[in-house]
């Protein structure tokens, strides 16, 4: 039997033509290939092209198979949104990527809410009515779920955006009995979804339950994120990434659309895996992150006491330049402080000079070095650091023992040996970079006061092998560059 | 399509997602988030259906608003991903 015959046979039974369903399947496969391309930087650009092709196929297929009466309005909406999106994408600073991603998540969430609401108001357009003119029970569950997850994604992402953008304090806001309120609201949403599904009366847009579910879900998203501290934002952004995927999948169920279901599952899985990786990198359980409250009390730990007057070894840019110039192997450990000081470009100049002197230079990245998964890699790539000189924690940690200099810039907690030795430390068990194993550790820090993000003292500062370079990161590296020249 | 067929596609896609995402190199986790953001805007399909359908002006406007929002994400997401990926370069071998 030939393919067209098969297609024709199938087409008689289904409402949607088979070529349309195949087109959506192709779009879904393009999205799988888009993610697959990201397995290496070399194939990643082709992957992105697959993604765009998939989206093009999905949009064009939908447009040509539906009534074209409102095509002008639709094109205006696409052009308007597209222009805003392109402008933002061109202008955004790489340091602001976490905020941008949070903002984009909120848009996906809101779009899901709007689509679910449109399906509820005009179910006939989506083919969701039964013979009696009622919305199908299974469709009611799917649209309520899609709307609820979309709403949680939206309000949660807005709060995450505000915290990351500094428009709102990163400190956790703890309501009394917040767990009870959150669990109660979620339970109410589930109960209302069941009631909505079973309610006999109410066809298109009649049941008020749908709107109540929506409002409750907006509240949950808000309540879930406000108690989570700034240090846990990488997990939150990943988690919201996952939610936006599940929202798309739920809407895919409503429409019986393969492209949406495949994409939703991919994005949902992606966000969940990234959340897991971030939690593992901080040695925190997902539950404890969601429960919130971390980082508000300055941490505890066995070595709290007044640390300011403890002896430490301070050095100058010339000392640092000498040590770096004499080294055979230098490992640089960048943290978010480097990005805040905008020191990445001058840091790359420094590594170029060192390489010119025959020094082997590598970068060591902790998974939570930036504000979102992989953030530090993007910042280094922007400063033209070749990606094959940048290594992940597990790939480079054994090399510190052979390094002459470990150069820590703008990082703190991720180098703290207390995570390995001090059971009373709040960061105990977190995987850290073994910088203390290098012959010398150079540590750039603005001043001796002020602990890291987690509020924990770092014993490394007071070791004999450590030289503290107390200055603004960018200025210090600039001076080292001058001294090396 | 009946519910079980859709569910089968969904469950299998979750497995595909699981294995594909674990194979993504950690250096590209930020572009991964940006591109997943862009592709999750495939929800625009639903928005287009709502915007194109006759019968309810409210649903049409909801749909159009969703089309605009999803478009921000699609164009913004793919373009920012492309911008990031263009920055990843290998070591220059001196020739």
């Amino acid at each position: 039997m030939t393919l067209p015959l098969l297609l024709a046979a199938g087409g008689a039974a289904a409402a949607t033509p088979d070529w349309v369903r195949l087109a959506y399947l192709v779009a879904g496969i393009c999205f799988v290939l888009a993610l697959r391309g990201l397995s290496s930087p070399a194939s990643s650009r082709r992957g992105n092209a697959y993604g765009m092709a998939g989206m093009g196929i999905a949009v064009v297929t939908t447009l040509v198979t539906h009534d074209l009466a409102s095509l002008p309005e639709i094109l205006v909406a696409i052009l308007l949104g597209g222009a805003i999106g392109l402008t933002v994408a061109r202008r955004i600073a790489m340091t602001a990527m976490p905020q941008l991603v949070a903002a984009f998540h909120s848009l996906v969430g809101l779009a899901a809410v709007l689509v679910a609401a449109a399906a509820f108001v005009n179910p006939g357009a989506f083919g969701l009515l039964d013979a009696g003119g009622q919305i199908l029970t299974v469709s009611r569950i799917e649209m309520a779920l899609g709307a609820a997850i979309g709403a949680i994604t939206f309000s949660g992402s807005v709060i995450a955006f505000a915290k990351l953008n500094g428009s709102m304090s990163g400190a956790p806001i703890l309501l009394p009995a917040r767990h009870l309120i959150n669990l109660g609201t979620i339970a109410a949403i589930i109960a209302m979804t069941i009631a909505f599904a079973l309610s006999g009366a109410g066809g298109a847009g009649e049941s008020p339950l749908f709107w109540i579910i929506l409002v409750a879900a907006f509240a949950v998203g808000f309540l879930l994120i406000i108690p989570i501290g700034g240090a846990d934002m990488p997990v939150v952004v990943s988690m919201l990434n996952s939610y936006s995927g599940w929202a798309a999948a739920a809407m895919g169920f409503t429409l019986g659309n393969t492209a949406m279901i495949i994409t939703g599952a991919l994005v949902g899985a992606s966000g969940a895996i990234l959340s897991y990786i971030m939690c593992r990198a901080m040695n925190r359980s997902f539950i404890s992150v969601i429960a919130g409250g971390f980082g508000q009390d300055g941490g505890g730990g066995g070595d709290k006491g007044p640390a300011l007057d403890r002896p430490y070894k301070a050095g100058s840019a010339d000392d640092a330049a000498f040590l770096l110039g004499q080294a055979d192997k230098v490992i640089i450990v960048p943290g978010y402080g480097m990005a805040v000081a905008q020191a990445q470009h001058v840091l790359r100049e420094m590594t170029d000079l060192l390489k010119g002197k025959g020094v082997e230079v590598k970068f060591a990245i902790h998974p939570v070095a930036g504000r979102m998964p992989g953030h530090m890699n993007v910042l280094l790539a922007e400063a033209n650091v070749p990606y094959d000189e940048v290594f992940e924690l597990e790939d480079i940690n054994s090399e510190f023992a052979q390094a002459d200099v470990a150069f820590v810039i703008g990082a703190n907690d991720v180098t703290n040996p207390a995570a390995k030795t001090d059971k009373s430390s709040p960061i105990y068990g977190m995987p850290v970079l073994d910088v203390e194993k290098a012959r010398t550790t150079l540590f750039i820090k603005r001043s001796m006061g002020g602990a890291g993000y987690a509020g924990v003292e770092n014993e490394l500062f007071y070791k004999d092998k450590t030289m503290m370079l107390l200055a603004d990161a960018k200025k210090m590296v600039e001076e080292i560059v001058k001294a090396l020249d | 399509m009946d519910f079980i067929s859709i569910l089968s596609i969904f469950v299998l896609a979750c497995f595909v997602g699981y294995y594909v995402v674990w194979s993504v190199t950690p250096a590209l986790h930020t572009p991964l988030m940006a591109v997943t953001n862009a592709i999750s805007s495939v929800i625009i399909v639903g928005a287009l259906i709502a915007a194109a359908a006759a019968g309810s002006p409210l649903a049409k406007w909801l749909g159009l608003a969703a089309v605009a929002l999803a478009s921000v994400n699609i164009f913004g997401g793919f373009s920012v991903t492309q911008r990031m990926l263009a920055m990843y370069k290998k070591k220059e071998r001196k020739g």
Side-chain angles (χ1 to χ4, degrees), chain A residues 3-22:
Chain A
L3 191 64
L5 266 176
L6 267 171
L7 295 182
T16 327
D18 276 331
W19 76 265
V20 173
R21 293 168 44 169
L22 280 176

Side-chain angles (χ1 to χ4, degrees), chain B residues 3-85:
Chain B
F3 181 75
I4 297 301
S5 320
I6 300 180
L7 187 67
S8 315
I9 295 172
F10 176 68
V11 173
L12 292 175
C14 285
F15 277 93
V16 171
Y18 180 85
Y19 289 107
V20 169
V21 171
W22 271 118
S23 77
V24 171
T25 169
L28 293 175
H29 276 163
T30 297
L32 170 69
M33 284 187 113
V35 84
T36 51
N37 221 310
I39 65 172
S40 58
S41 304
V42 72
I43 200 147
I44 196 173
V45 167
L48 289 169
I49 295 173
S56 163
L58 173 61
K60 182 182 158 179
W61 284 108
L62 289 171
L64 282 174
V67 169
L69 292 179
S71 301
V72 174
N73 247 334
I74 292 171
F75 285 89
F78 281 125
S79 127
V80 86
T81 307
Q82 200 169 33
R83 209 182 123 199
M84 281 191 274
L85 294 178

